[in-house]
Amino acid sequence: MDKSMLGDLQSLSEEDNVRMAAMIDQLQVRDSLRMYNSLVERCFNDCVDTFKHKSLQKQEESCVRRCAEKFLKHSMRVGMRFAELNQGAATQD
């Protein structure tokens, strides 16, 4: 975030700061739910082949576990890379 933007946020009234914090929290929840839904949809489509049984079969369960681990590792790596890029852009200003 640009330093001038931080200064602008600090100049907001207490009420506006509370409203801004609530909006940020809401956006974070929305993004978390999107990531979770994307993970569930992707892993389900890749791993579940049949509906013959009520619960996941052993191979489906291991597939879902691998899929979720890969998805979360990828998401963490992308987040770290964005943070690196953001930090590099902030030091250039």
Side-chain angles (χ1 to χ4, degrees):
M1 187 180 292
D2 191 354
K3 289 180 183 178
S4 65
M5 290 176 77
L6 287 175
D8 291 344
L9 290 175
Q10 292 172 350
S11 67
L12 293 175
S13 70
E14 184 64 31
E15 182 181 333
D16 288 339
N17 276 329
V18 168
R19 222 179 323 190
M20 185 68 72
M23 285 175 52
I24 290 170
D25 287 344
Q26 187 177 26
L27 289 172
Q28 288 175 333
V29 167
R30 186 194 68 192
D31 288 343
S32 295
L33 287 173
R34 267 193 196 150
M35 186 174 103
Y36 176 78
N37 287 335
S38 177
L39 166 66
V40 169
E41 183 177 357
R42 173 176 291 224
C43 293
F44 181 84
N45 289 337
D46 288 350
C47 297
V48 178
D49 300 326
T50 180
F51 294 99
K52 291 181 183 177
H53 304 297
K54 208 167 155 180
S55 60
L56 292 176
Q57 298 299 297
K58 195 167 195 87
Q59 72 185 46
E60 292 171 331
E61 190 174 332
S62 64
C63 178
V64 168
R65 186 173 288 116
R66 271 193 322 274
C67 178
E69 286 174 3
K70 284 183 179 182
F71 185 92
L72 293 174
K73 284 179 183 178
H74 171 74
S75 296
M76 286 173 42
R77 179 62 186 129
V78 168
M80 288 172 36
R81 185 66 180 132
F82 275 126
E84 290 169 5
L85 292 171
N86 199 13
Q87 187 177 23
T91 58
Q92 290 178 354
D93 290 340

